[in-house]
Amino acid sequence: MKKRRIVASVTALGLALSLAACSAGGRGATSSDGGDEGNGNKGALVGVAMPTKVSERWIKDGDAVKSSLEKAGYKVDLEYADNKIPQQVQQVSNMITKGAKVLIVASIDGGSLSDQLDAAADAGIKVISYDRLLTGNKNVDYYVSFDNYKVGVDQATSLLTGLGLLDADGKKTDEKGPFNIEVFAGSPDDNNATFFFNGAMDTLKPYLEDGTLKIGSGQDGFTQAATQQWDPALAKSRMQNLVAKSYSGGTKLDGVLSPYDGISIGIISALQGAGYGSGDRPLPVITGQDAEAASVKSIMNDQQYSTIYKDTRQLADKSASMAQDLLSGKKPEVNDTKTYDNKVKVVPTFLFQPTVVTKENYEKVLVDSGYYTDADLK
């Protein structure tokens, strides 16, 4: 396999001519004059790679990052990859070829961009991993995300609250159960998915061990619960199978741990198709994540119980400020230097804290903060 070479020749007139000899999965080397504005400052190009437009949250993330950077005077190449790994690989390669000085990458598969990360390092391009950790390569400079383990803890805690095992203050009640639950996990190629799952299962473990909770299907492992590419259709299909195999004889399903709102929508659809949500078969307590408008409406309509709100405006602003610091020769602020090991190095990280949203507080958390308007949720 030929290796990719990206060779930049700078003429006396300051015109850059890039020649790329490409083949699949190659590496690259680039020399740079520091950008149009000198030292990579104002006017420099920042590449922003987002995974998909299928999820509402990624559209919000991309728009917010682009807006923050452009307001600060930078050029932005924002690309969405339609959840196709080869497409994202090509997009990031193109950003390098175009002369981006910083890459902000929310990956589809955290380990799929290793050649591009090598090419970026060869070209002196700094890389910020955005919300999903880039893995298996040393050339990841910073990571910005939410406390992903705590997201899982919060999801499980809200499930316990919805079941009545904890009160609003997180204290144990006199409720003994037992309750039947099922657990879903995110995509196995997303590093965050294991943090969410582990945080949740560690929280549920005492209740599973003492019999207060029971996973009716017995499917309690990450691999069994995983949902490739966070696909709602796959979640719906799995829920249909779980109902048919474990709950068709009248056994009640009381709760479902769901790691993401899209998955929750698929779960709800499957359960409604099986007769839940009508008559004497209420929908179980169902969790979620990302506070997508459709799921907030579902919470308002007593279908989904909760979601985890992660204010993506915070992520966008922090990733933009990190990029500005890097372009100005400053060291970005971080608040975690121990947790996020990408299998090659521990990546310096800035973490934000998540918030549980239910019917009781959605207006205060989401509307009063300006994240949504009332009209958005009608």
Side-chain angles (χ1 to χ4, degrees), residues 63 77 84 94-95 111 123 138 175 179 197 203 213-214 232 242 278 282 284 292 295 307 317 323 332 362 369:
D63 289 345
D77 181 9
K84 298 174 182 176
N94 289 344
M95 291 171 186
K138 66 182 180 180
E175 179 63 64
F179 295 107
F197 190 75
T203 304
L213 298 179
K214 178 183 177 183
L242 291 175
S278 61
E292 294 189 347
S295 283
T307 187
D317 287 346
Y362 81 88
S369 70

mmCIF file with all atom_site columns, all heavy atoms in Angstrom, residues 63 77 84 94-95 111 123 138 175 179 197 203 213-214 232 242 278 282 284 292 295 307 317 323 332 362 369:
data_model
loop_
_atom_site.group_PDB
_atom_site.id
_atom_site.type_symbol
_atom_site.label_atom_id
_atom_site.label_alt_id
_atom_site.label_comp_id
_atom_site.label_asym_id
_atom_site.label_entity_id
_atom_site.label_seq_id
_atom_site.pdbx_PDB_ins_code
_atom_site.Cartn_x
_atom_site.Cartn_y
_atom_site.Cartn_z
_atom_site.occupancy
_atom_site.B_iso_or_equiv
_atom_site.pdbx_formal_charge
_atom_site.auth_seq_id
_atom_site.auth_comp_id
_atom_site.auth_asym_id
_atom_site.auth_atom_id
_atom_site.pdbx_PDB_model_num
ATOM 1   N N   . ASP A 1 63  ? -22.923 23.488  14.351 1.00 0.00 ? 63  ASP A N   1
ATOM 2   C CA  . ASP A 1 63  ? -23.275 24.902  14.159 1.00 0.00 ? 63  ASP A CA  1
ATOM 3   C C   . ASP A 1 63  ? -22.666 25.772  15.246 1.00 0.00 ? 63  ASP A C   1
ATOM 4   O O   . ASP A 1 63  ? -22.182 26.880  14.984 1.00 0.00 ? 63  ASP A O   1
ATOM 5   C CB  . ASP A 1 63  ? -24.795 25.067  14.147 1.00 0.00 ? 63  ASP A CB  1
ATOM 6   C CG  . ASP A 1 63  ? -25.445 24.511  12.891 1.00 0.00 ? 63  ASP A CG  1
ATOM 7   O OD1 . ASP A 1 63  ? -24.720 24.252  11.906 1.00 0.00 ? 63  ASP A OD1 1
ATOM 8   O OD2 . ASP A 1 63  ? -26.683 24.331  12.891 1.00 0.00 ? 63  ASP A OD2 1
ATOM 9   N N   . ASP A 1 77  ? -13.943 24.864  8.216  1.00 0.00 ? 77  ASP A N   1
ATOM 10  C CA  . ASP A 1 77  ? -14.400 23.833  7.284  1.00 0.00 ? 77  ASP A CA  1
ATOM 11  C C   . ASP A 1 77  ? -15.169 22.806  8.100  1.00 0.00 ? 77  ASP A C   1
ATOM 12  O O   . ASP A 1 77  ? -14.578 21.973  8.785  1.00 0.00 ? 77  ASP A O   1
ATOM 13  C CB  . ASP A 1 77  ? -13.208 23.189  6.580  1.00 0.00 ? 77  ASP A CB  1
ATOM 14  C CG  . ASP A 1 77  ? -13.628 22.108  5.576  1.00 0.00 ? 77  ASP A CG  1
ATOM 15  O OD1 . ASP A 1 77  ? -14.841 21.982  5.307  1.00 0.00 ? 77  ASP A OD1 1
ATOM 16  O OD2 . ASP A 1 77  ? -12.741 21.401  5.073  1.00 0.00 ? 77  ASP A OD2 1
ATOM 17  N N   . LYS A 1 84  ? -20.619 7.432   7.972  1.00 0.00 ? 84  LYS A N   1
ATOM 18  C CA  . LYS A 1 84  ? -19.836 6.569   7.091  1.00 0.00 ? 84  LYS A CA  1
ATOM 19  C C   . LYS A 1 84  ? -18.353 6.816   7.364  1.00 0.00 ? 84  LYS A C   1
ATOM 20  O O   . LYS A 1 84  ? -17.847 7.910   7.122  1.00 0.00 ? 84  LYS A O   1
ATOM 21  C CB  . LYS A 1 84  ? -20.174 6.854   5.632  1.00 0.00 ? 84  LYS A CB  1
ATOM 22  C CG  . LYS A 1 84  ? -21.635 6.567   5.285  1.00 0.00 ? 84  LYS A CG  1
ATOM 23  C CD  . LYS A 1 84  ? -21.955 7.001   3.867  1.00 0.00 ? 84  LYS A CD  1
ATOM 24  C CE  . LYS A 1 84  ? -23.436 6.759   3.540  1.00 0.00 ? 84  LYS A CE  1
ATOM 25  N NZ  . LYS A 1 84  ? -23.795 7.267   2.195  1.00 0.00 ? 84  LYS A NZ  1
ATOM 26  N N   . ASN A 1 94  ? -8.932  15.719  3.620  1.00 0.00 ? 94  ASN A N   1
ATOM 27  C CA  . ASN A 1 94  ? -9.096  16.944  2.831  1.00 0.00 ? 94  ASN A CA  1
ATOM 28  C C   . ASN A 1 94  ? -8.801  18.193  3.660  1.00 0.00 ? 94  ASN A C   1
ATOM 29  O O   . ASN A 1 94  ? -8.229  19.164  3.161  1.00 0.00 ? 94  ASN A O   1
ATOM 30  C CB  . ASN A 1 94  ? -10.503 17.020  2.252  1.00 0.00 ? 94  ASN A CB  1
ATOM 31  C CG  . ASN A 1 94  ? -10.741 16.006  1.146  1.00 0.00 ? 94  ASN A CG  1
ATOM 32  O OD1 . ASN A 1 94  ? -9.793  15.439  0.596  1.00 0.00 ? 94  ASN A OD1 1
ATOM 33  N ND2 . ASN A 1 94  ? -11.997 15.762  0.831  1.00 0.00 ? 94  ASN A ND2 1
ATOM 34  N N   . MET A 1 95  ? -9.206  18.166  4.934  1.00 0.00 ? 95  MET A N   1
ATOM 35  C CA  . MET A 1 95  ? -8.938  19.309  5.807  1.00 0.00 ? 95  MET A CA  1
ATOM 36  C C   . MET A 1 95  ? -7.436  19.530  5.964  1.00 0.00 ? 95  MET A C   1
ATOM 37  O O   . MET A 1 95  ? -6.960  20.667  5.980  1.00 0.00 ? 95  MET A O   1
ATOM 38  C CB  . MET A 1 95  ? -9.591  19.078  7.183  1.00 0.00 ? 95  MET A CB  1
ATOM 39  C CG  . MET A 1 95  ? -11.102 19.121  7.169  1.00 0.00 ? 95  MET A CG  1
ATOM 40  S SD  . MET A 1 95  ? -11.812 18.594  8.761  1.00 0.00 ? 95  MET A SD  1
ATOM 41  C CE  . MET A 1 95  ? -13.563 18.574  8.352  1.00 0.00 ? 95  MET A CE  1
ATOM 42  N N   . GLY A 1 111 ? -11.196 4.718   16.505 1.00 0.00 ? 111 GLY A N   1
ATOM 43  C CA  . GLY A 1 111 ? -9.916  4.175   16.080 1.00 0.00 ? 111 GLY A CA  1
ATOM 44  C C   . GLY A 1 111 ? -9.685  4.181   14.587 1.00 0.00 ? 111 GLY A C   1
ATOM 45  O O   . GLY A 1 111 ? -8.698  3.614   14.109 1.00 0.00 ? 111 GLY A O   1
ATOM 46  N N   . ALA A 1 123 ? 2.256   17.415  9.909  1.00 0.00 ? 123 ALA A N   1
ATOM 47  C CA  . ALA A 1 123 ? 2.037   18.766  9.388  1.00 0.00 ? 123 ALA A CA  1
ATOM 48  C C   . ALA A 1 123 ? 2.001   19.825  10.488 1.00 0.00 ? 123 ALA A C   1
ATOM 49  O O   . ALA A 1 123 ? 1.779   21.002  10.203 1.00 0.00 ? 123 ALA A O   1
ATOM 50  C CB  . ALA A 1 123 ? 0.728   18.801  8.599  1.00 0.00 ? 123 ALA A CB  1
ATOM 51  N N   . LYS A 1 138 ? -1.161  8.331   19.429 1.00 0.00 ? 138 LYS A N   1
ATOM 52  C CA  . LYS A 1 138 ? -0.603  9.309   20.360 1.00 0.00 ? 138 LYS A CA  1
ATOM 53  C C   . LYS A 1 138 ? -0.884  10.750  19.947 1.00 0.00 ? 138 LYS A C   1
ATOM 54  O O   . LYS A 1 138 ? -0.729  11.674  20.755 1.00 0.00 ? 138 LYS A O   1
ATOM 55  C CB  . LYS A 1 138 ? 0.908   9.114   20.483 1.00 0.00 ? 138 LYS A CB  1
ATOM 56  C CG  . LYS A 1 138 ? 1.680   9.418   19.202 1.00 0.00 ? 138 LYS A CG  1
ATOM 57  C CD  . LYS A 1 138 ? 3.170   9.170   19.366 1.00 0.00 ? 138 LYS A CD  1
ATOM 58  C CE  . LYS A 1 138 ? 3.912   9.482   18.063 1.00 0.00 ? 138 LYS A CE  1
ATOM 59  N NZ  . LYS A 1 138 ? 5.368   9.255   18.197 1.00 0.00 ? 138 LYS A NZ  1
ATOM 60  N N   . GLU A 1 175 ? -39.602 1.237   49.134 1.00 0.00 ? 175 GLU A N   1
ATOM 61  C CA  . GLU A 1 175 ? -39.979 0.353   48.024 1.00 0.00 ? 175 GLU A CA  1
ATOM 62  C C   . GLU A 1 175 ? -38.980 -0.793  47.915 1.00 0.00 ? 175 GLU A C   1
ATOM 63  O O   . GLU A 1 175 ? -37.766 -0.589  47.930 1.00 0.00 ? 175 GLU A O   1
ATOM 64  C CB  . GLU A 1 175 ? -40.010 1.157   46.718 1.00 0.00 ? 175 GLU A CB  1
ATOM 65  C CG  . GLU A 1 175 ? -40.368 0.342   45.496 1.00 0.00 ? 175 GLU A CG  1
ATOM 66  C CD  . GLU A 1 175 ? -41.769 -0.240  45.568 1.00 0.00 ? 175 GLU A CD  1
ATOM 67  O OE1 . GLU A 1 175 ? -42.724 0.551   45.591 1.00 0.00 ? 175 GLU A OE1 1
ATOM 68  O OE2 . GLU A 1 175 ? -41.874 -1.485  45.623 1.00 0.00 ? 175 GLU A OE2 1
ATOM 69  N N   . PHE A 1 179 ? -38.393 -5.452  40.563 1.00 0.00 ? 179 PHE A N   1
ATOM 70  C CA  . PHE A 1 179 ? -38.737 -4.844  39.276 1.00 0.00 ? 179 PHE A CA  1
ATOM 71  C C   . PHE A 1 179 ? -37.954 -5.523  38.164 1.00 0.00 ? 179 PHE A C   1
ATOM 72  O O   . PHE A 1 179 ? -36.762 -5.829  38.320 1.00 0.00 ? 179 PHE A O   1
ATOM 73  C CB  . PHE A 1 179 ? -38.401 -3.355  39.273 1.00 0.00 ? 179 PHE A CB  1
ATOM 74  C CG  . PHE A 1 179 ? -39.215 -2.545  40.231 1.00 0.00 ? 179 PHE A CG  1
ATOM 75  C CD1 . PHE A 1 179 ? -38.642 -2.054  41.397 1.00 0.00 ? 179 PHE A CD1 1
ATOM 76  C CD2 . PHE A 1 179 ? -40.551 -2.258  39.975 1.00 0.00 ? 179 PHE A CD2 1
ATOM 77  C CE1 . PHE A 1 179 ? -39.385 -1.287  42.279 1.00 0.00 ? 179 PHE A CE1 1
ATOM 78  C CE2 . PHE A 1 179 ? -41.301 -1.495  40.855 1.00 0.00 ? 179 PHE A CE2 1
ATOM 79  C CZ  . PHE A 1 179 ? -40.716 -1.008  42.022 1.00 0.00 ? 179 PHE A CZ  1
ATOM 80  N N   . PHE A 1 197 ? -22.190 2.874   30.013 1.00 0.00 ? 197 PHE A N   1
ATOM 81  C CA  . PHE A 1 197 ? -22.680 1.574   30.471 1.00 0.00 ? 197 PHE A CA  1
ATOM 82  C C   . PHE A 1 197 ? -22.093 1.205   31.829 1.00 0.00 ? 197 PHE A C   1
ATOM 83  O O   . PHE A 1 197 ? -22.814 0.757   32.732 1.00 0.00 ? 197 PHE A O   1
ATOM 84  C CB  . PHE A 1 197 ? -22.352 0.501   29.432 1.00 0.00 ? 197 PHE A CB  1
ATOM 85  C CG  . PHE A 1 197 ? -23.009 -0.819  29.682 1.00 0.00 ? 197 PHE A CG  1
ATOM 86  C CD1 . PHE A 1 197 ? -24.357 -1.004  29.426 1.00 0.00 ? 197 PHE A CD1 1
ATOM 87  C CD2 . PHE A 1 197 ? -22.278 -1.896  30.180 1.00 0.00 ? 197 PHE A CD2 1
ATOM 88  C CE1 . PHE A 1 197 ? -24.974 -2.236  29.653 1.00 0.00 ? 197 PHE A CE1 1
ATOM 89  C CE2 . PHE A 1 197 ? -22.876 -3.121  30.405 1.00 0.00 ? 197 PHE A CE2 1
ATOM 90  C CZ  . PHE A 1 197 ? -24.229 -3.294  30.147 1.00 0.00 ? 197 PHE A CZ  1
ATOM 91  N N   . THR A 1 203 ? -23.914 1.479   39.219 1.00 0.00 ? 203 THR A N   1
ATOM 92  C CA  . THR A 1 203 ? -24.953 2.058   40.077 1.00 0.00 ? 203 THR A CA  1
ATOM 93  C C   . THR A 1 203 ? -26.081 1.069   40.339 1.00 0.00 ? 203 THR A C   1
ATOM 94  O O   . THR A 1 203 ? -26.634 1.005   41.449 1.00 0.00 ? 203 THR A O   1
ATOM 95  C CB  . THR A 1 203 ? -25.515 3.333   39.424 1.00 0.00 ? 203 THR A CB  1
ATOM 96  O OG1 . THR A 1 203 ? -24.437 4.239   39.172 1.00 0.00 ? 203 THR A OG1 1
ATOM 97  C CG2 . THR A 1 203 ? -26.551 4.009   40.307 1.00 0.00 ? 203 THR A CG2 1
ATOM 98  N N   . LEU A 1 213 ? -33.827 -5.566  41.613 1.00 0.00 ? 213 LEU A N   1
ATOM 99  C CA  . LEU A 1 213 ? -33.951 -5.476  40.162 1.00 0.00 ? 213 LEU A CA  1
ATOM 100 C C   . LEU A 1 213 ? -33.584 -6.817  39.536 1.00 0.00 ? 213 LEU A C   1
ATOM 101 O O   . LEU A 1 213 ? -32.704 -7.530  40.032 1.00 0.00 ? 213 LEU A O   1
ATOM 102 C CB  . LEU A 1 213 ? -33.032 -4.396  39.593 1.00 0.00 ? 213 LEU A CB  1
ATOM 103 C CG  . LEU A 1 213 ? -33.272 -2.956  40.027 1.00 0.00 ? 213 LEU A CG  1
ATOM 104 C CD1 . LEU A 1 213 ? -32.236 -2.046  39.374 1.00 0.00 ? 213 LEU A CD1 1
ATOM 105 C CD2 . LEU A 1 213 ? -34.676 -2.488  39.680 1.00 0.00 ? 213 LEU A CD2 1
ATOM 106 N N   . LYS A 1 214 ? -34.231 -7.137  38.437 1.00 0.00 ? 214 LYS A N   1
ATOM 107 C CA  . LYS A 1 214 ? -33.915 -8.346  37.683 1.00 0.00 ? 214 LYS A CA  1
ATOM 108 C C   . LYS A 1 214 ? -33.939 -8.014  36.198 1.00 0.00 ? 214 LYS A C   1
ATOM 109 O O   . LYS A 1 214 ? -34.878 -7.373  35.718 1.00 0.00 ? 214 LYS A O   1
ATOM 110 C CB  . LYS A 1 214 ? -34.935 -9.455  37.987 1.00 0.00 ? 214 LYS A CB  1
ATOM 111 C CG  . LYS A 1 214 ? -34.683 -10.730 37.183 1.00 0.00 ? 214 LYS A CG  1
ATOM 112 C CD  . LYS A 1 214 ? -35.751 -11.777 37.463 1.00 0.00 ? 214 LYS A CD  1
ATOM 113 C CE  . LYS A 1 214 ? -35.513 -13.017 36.598 1.00 0.00 ? 214 LYS A CE  1
ATOM 114 N NZ  . LYS A 1 214 ? -36.590 -14.025 36.819 1.00 0.00 ? 214 LYS A NZ  1
ATOM 115 N N   . PRO A 1 232 ? -31.520 3.706   16.112 1.00 0.00 ? 232 PRO A N   1
ATOM 116 C CA  . PRO A 1 232 ? -32.845 3.478   16.708 1.00 0.00 ? 232 PRO A CA  1
ATOM 117 C C   . PRO A 1 232 ? -33.550 2.247   16.154 1.00 0.00 ? 232 PRO A C   1
ATOM 118 O O   . PRO A 1 232 ? -34.272 1.555   16.883 1.00 0.00 ? 232 PRO A O   1
ATOM 119 C CB  . PRO A 1 232 ? -33.612 4.757   16.354 1.00 0.00 ? 232 PRO A CB  1
ATOM 120 C CG  . PRO A 1 232 ? -32.559 5.805   16.187 1.00 0.00 ? 232 PRO A CG  1
ATOM 121 C CD  . PRO A 1 232 ? -31.394 5.083   15.574 1.00 0.00 ? 232 PRO A CD  1
ATOM 122 N N   . LEU A 1 242 ? -36.793 -8.882  22.727 1.00 0.00 ? 242 LEU A N   1
ATOM 123 C CA  . LEU A 1 242 ? -36.810 -9.054  24.178 1.00 0.00 ? 242 LEU A CA  1
ATOM 124 C C   . LEU A 1 242 ? -38.233 -9.243  24.688 1.00 0.00 ? 242 LEU A C   1
ATOM 125 O O   . LEU A 1 242 ? -38.490 -10.095 25.557 1.00 0.00 ? 242 LEU A O   1
ATOM 126 C CB  . LEU A 1 242 ? -36.173 -7.839  24.858 1.00 0.00 ? 242 LEU A CB  1
ATOM 127 C CG  . LEU A 1 242 ? -34.669 -7.659  24.662 1.00 0.00 ? 242 LEU A CG  1
ATOM 128 C CD1 . LEU A 1 242 ? -34.205 -6.341  25.284 1.00 0.00 ? 242 LEU A CD1 1
ATOM 129 C CD2 . LEU A 1 242 ? -33.892 -8.822  25.262 1.00 0.00 ? 242 LEU A CD2 1
ATOM 130 N N   . SER A 1 278 ? -50.970 1.656   26.747 1.00 0.00 ? 278 SER A N   1
ATOM 131 C CA  . SER A 1 278 ? -52.424 1.745   26.620 1.00 0.00 ? 278 SER A CA  1
ATOM 132 C C   . SER A 1 278 ? -53.071 0.779   27.601 1.00 0.00 ? 278 SER A C   1
ATOM 133 O O   . SER A 1 278 ? -52.470 -0.229  27.987 1.00 0.00 ? 278 SER A O   1
ATOM 134 C CB  . SER A 1 278 ? -52.866 1.402   25.190 1.00 0.00 ? 278 SER A CB  1
ATOM 135 O OG  . SER A 1 278 ? -52.498 0.086   24.855 1.00 0.00 ? 278 SER A OG  1
ATOM 136 N N   . PRO A 1 282 ? -48.934 0.175   31.218 1.00 0.00 ? 282 PRO A N   1
ATOM 137 C CA  . PRO A 1 282 ? -48.199 1.434   31.036 1.00 0.00 ? 282 PRO A CA  1
ATOM 138 C C   . PRO A 1 282 ? -46.798 1.183   30.482 1.00 0.00 ? 282 PRO A C   1
ATOM 139 O O   . PRO A 1 282 ? -46.240 0.099   30.635 1.00 0.00 ? 282 PRO A O   1
ATOM 140 C CB  . PRO A 1 282 ? -48.130 1.997   32.458 1.00 0.00 ? 282 PRO A CB  1
ATOM 141 C CG  . PRO A 1 282 ? -48.190 0.783   33.343 1.00 0.00 ? 282 PRO A CG  1
ATOM 142 C CD  . PRO A 1 282 ? -49.120 -0.172  32.638 1.00 0.00 ? 282 PRO A CD  1
ATOM 143 N N   . PRO A 1 284 ? -42.877 1.278   30.516 1.00 0.00 ? 284 PRO A N   1
ATOM 144 C CA  . PRO A 1 284 ? -41.925 1.228   31.639 1.00 0.00 ? 284 PRO A CA  1
ATOM 145 C C   . PRO A 1 284 ? -41.188 2.560   31.783 1.00 0.00 ? 284 PRO A C   1
ATOM 146 O O   . PRO A 1 284 ? -41.284 3.445   30.926 1.00 0.00 ? 284 PRO A O   1
ATOM 147 C CB  . PRO A 1 284 ? -40.964 0.108   31.223 1.00 0.00 ? 284 PRO A CB  1
ATOM 148 C CG  . PRO A 1 284 ? -41.054 0.052   29.738 1.00 0.00 ? 284 PRO A CG  1
ATOM 149 C CD  . PRO A 1 284 ? -42.469 0.415   29.395 1.00 0.00 ? 284 PRO A CD  1
ATOM 150 N N   . GLU A 1 292 ? -32.825 15.590  23.130 1.00 0.00 ? 292 GLU A N   1
ATOM 151 C CA  . GLU A 1 292 ? -33.308 15.929  21.800 1.00 0.00 ? 292 GLU A CA  1
ATOM 152 C C   . GLU A 1 292 ? -34.775 16.314  21.890 1.00 0.00 ? 292 GLU A C   1
ATOM 153 O O   . GLU A 1 292 ? -35.529 15.794  22.715 1.00 0.00 ? 292 GLU A O   1
ATOM 154 C CB  . GLU A 1 292 ? -33.092 14.758  20.851 1.00 0.00 ? 292 GLU A CB  1
ATOM 155 C CG  . GLU A 1 292 ? -31.623 14.460  20.614 1.00 0.00 ? 292 GLU A CG  1
ATOM 156 C CD  . GLU A 1 292 ? -31.374 13.452  19.512 1.00 0.00 ? 292 GLU A CD  1
ATOM 157 O OE1 . GLU A 1 292 ? -32.347 12.791  19.077 1.00 0.00 ? 292 GLU A OE1 1
ATOM 158 O OE2 . GLU A 1 292 ? -30.216 13.325  19.076 1.00 0.00 ? 292 GLU A OE2 1
ATOM 159 N N   . SER A 1 295 ? -37.512 13.713  22.118 1.00 0.00 ? 295 SER A N   1
ATOM 160 C CA  . SER A 1 295 ? -37.573 12.982  23.387 1.00 0.00 ? 295 SER A CA  1
ATOM 161 C C   . SER A 1 295 ? -38.038 13.862  24.535 1.00 0.00 ? 295 SER A C   1
ATOM 162 O O   . SER A 1 295 ? -38.682 13.382  25.468 1.00 0.00 ? 295 SER A O   1
ATOM 163 C CB  . SER A 1 295 ? -36.210 12.363  23.708 1.00 0.00 ? 295 SER A CB  1
ATOM 164 O OG  . SER A 1 295 ? -36.006 11.212  22.917 1.00 0.00 ? 295 SER A OG  1
ATOM 165 N N   . THR A 1 307 ? -34.081 12.162  30.437 1.00 0.00 ? 307 THR A N   1
ATOM 166 C CA  . THR A 1 307 ? -32.968 12.255  29.508 1.00 0.00 ? 307 THR A CA  1
ATOM 167 C C   . THR A 1 307 ? -31.825 12.953  30.228 1.00 0.00 ? 307 THR A C   1
ATOM 168 O O   . THR A 1 307 ? -32.033 13.563  31.285 1.00 0.00 ? 307 THR A O   1
ATOM 169 C CB  . THR A 1 307 ? -33.356 13.009  28.224 1.00 0.00 ? 307 THR A CB  1
ATOM 170 O OG1 . THR A 1 307 ? -32.278 12.921  27.272 1.00 0.00 ? 307 THR A OG1 1
ATOM 171 C CG2 . THR A 1 307 ? -33.643 14.481  28.499 1.00 0.00 ? 307 THR A CG2 1
ATOM 172 N N   . ASP A 1 317 ? -18.059 26.023  22.860 1.00 0.00 ? 317 ASP A N   1
ATOM 173 C CA  . ASP A 1 317 ? -17.266 27.176  23.305 1.00 0.00 ? 317 ASP A CA  1
ATOM 174 C C   . ASP A 1 317 ? -15.887 26.728  23.793 1.00 0.00 ? 317 ASP A C   1
ATOM 175 O O   . ASP A 1 317 ? -14.875 27.387  23.512 1.00 0.00 ? 317 ASP A O   1
ATOM 176 C CB  . ASP A 1 317 ? -17.990 27.922  24.430 1.00 0.00 ? 317 ASP A CB  1
ATOM 177 C CG  . ASP A 1 317 ? -19.193 28.717  23.926 1.00 0.00 ? 317 ASP A CG  1
ATOM 178 O OD1 . ASP A 1 317 ? -19.308 28.914  22.697 1.00 0.00 ? 317 ASP A OD1 1
ATOM 179 O OD2 . ASP A 1 317 ? -20.019 29.129  24.761 1.00 0.00 ? 317 ASP A OD2 1
ATOM 180 N N   . ALA A 1 323 ? -8.949  25.701  20.580 1.00 0.00 ? 323 ALA A N   1
ATOM 181 C CA  . ALA A 1 323 ? -8.346  25.939  19.266 1.00 0.00 ? 323 ALA A CA  1
ATOM 182 C C   . ALA A 1 323 ? -7.654  27.295  19.233 1.00 0.00 ? 323 ALA A C   1
ATOM 183 O O   . ALA A 1 323 ? -6.528  27.420  18.725 1.00 0.00 ? 323 ALA A O   1
ATOM 184 C CB  . ALA A 1 323 ? -9.415  25.849  18.182 1.00 0.00 ? 323 ALA A CB  1
ATOM 185 N N   . PRO A 1 332 ? -4.040  25.126  26.503 1.00 0.00 ? 332 PRO A N   1
ATOM 186 C CA  . PRO A 1 332 ? -5.462  25.115  26.871 1.00 0.00 ? 332 PRO A CA  1
ATOM 187 C C   . PRO A 1 332 ? -5.701  24.632  28.296 1.00 0.00 ? 332 PRO A C   1
ATOM 188 O O   . PRO A 1 332 ? -4.947  23.813  28.831 1.00 0.00 ? 332 PRO A O   1
ATOM 189 C CB  . PRO A 1 332 ? -6.077  24.147  25.859 1.00 0.00 ? 332 PRO A CB  1
ATOM 190 C CG  . PRO A 1 332 ? -5.140  24.154  24.700 1.00 0.00 ? 332 PRO A CG  1
ATOM 191 C CD  . PRO A 1 332 ? -3.784  24.301  25.312 1.00 0.00 ? 332 PRO A CD  1
ATOM 192 N N   . TYR A 1 362 ? -37.862 20.081  33.097 1.00 0.00 ? 362 TYR A N   1
ATOM 193 C CA  . TYR A 1 362 ? -37.425 20.358  31.734 1.00 0.00 ? 362 TYR A CA  1
ATOM 194 C C   . TYR A 1 362 ? -37.541 21.836  31.376 1.00 0.00 ? 362 TYR A C   1
ATOM 195 O O   . TYR A 1 362 ? -36.676 22.393  30.675 1.00 0.00 ? 362 TYR A O   1
ATOM 196 C CB  . TYR A 1 362 ? -38.220 19.512  30.715 1.00 0.00 ? 362 TYR A CB  1
ATOM 197 C CG  . TYR A 1 362 ? -39.576 20.063  30.363 1.00 0.00 ? 362 TYR A CG  1
ATOM 198 C CD1 . TYR A 1 362 ? -39.725 20.977  29.323 1.00 0.00 ? 362 TYR A CD1 1
ATOM 199 C CD2 . TYR A 1 362 ? -40.712 19.708  31.086 1.00 0.00 ? 362 TYR A CD2 1
ATOM 200 C CE1 . TYR A 1 362 ? -40.976 21.500  29.011 1.00 0.00 ? 362 TYR A CE1 1
ATOM 201 C CE2 . TYR A 1 362 ? -41.945 20.225  30.790 1.00 0.00 ? 362 TYR A CE2 1
ATOM 202 C CZ  . TYR A 1 362 ? -42.079 21.114  29.745 1.00 0.00 ? 362 TYR A CZ  1
ATOM 203 O OH  . TYR A 1 362 ? -43.314 21.647  29.446 1.00 0.00 ? 362 TYR A OH  1
ATOM 204 N N   . SER A 1 369 ? -33.010 28.314  30.168 1.00 0.00 ? 369 SER A N   1
ATOM 205 C CA  . SER A 1 369 ? -31.597 28.506  29.822 1.00 0.00 ? 369 SER A CA  1
ATOM 206 C C   . SER A 1 369 ? -31.411 28.965  28.381 1.00 0.00 ? 369 SER A C   1
ATOM 207 O O   . SER A 1 369 ? -30.299 29.316  27.973 1.00 0.00 ? 369 SER A O   1
ATOM 208 C CB  . SER A 1 369 ? -30.818 27.199  30.028 1.00 0.00 ? 369 SER A CB  1
ATOM 209 O OG  . SER A 1 369 ? -31.187 26.234  29.048 1.00 0.00 ? 369 SER A OG  1
#
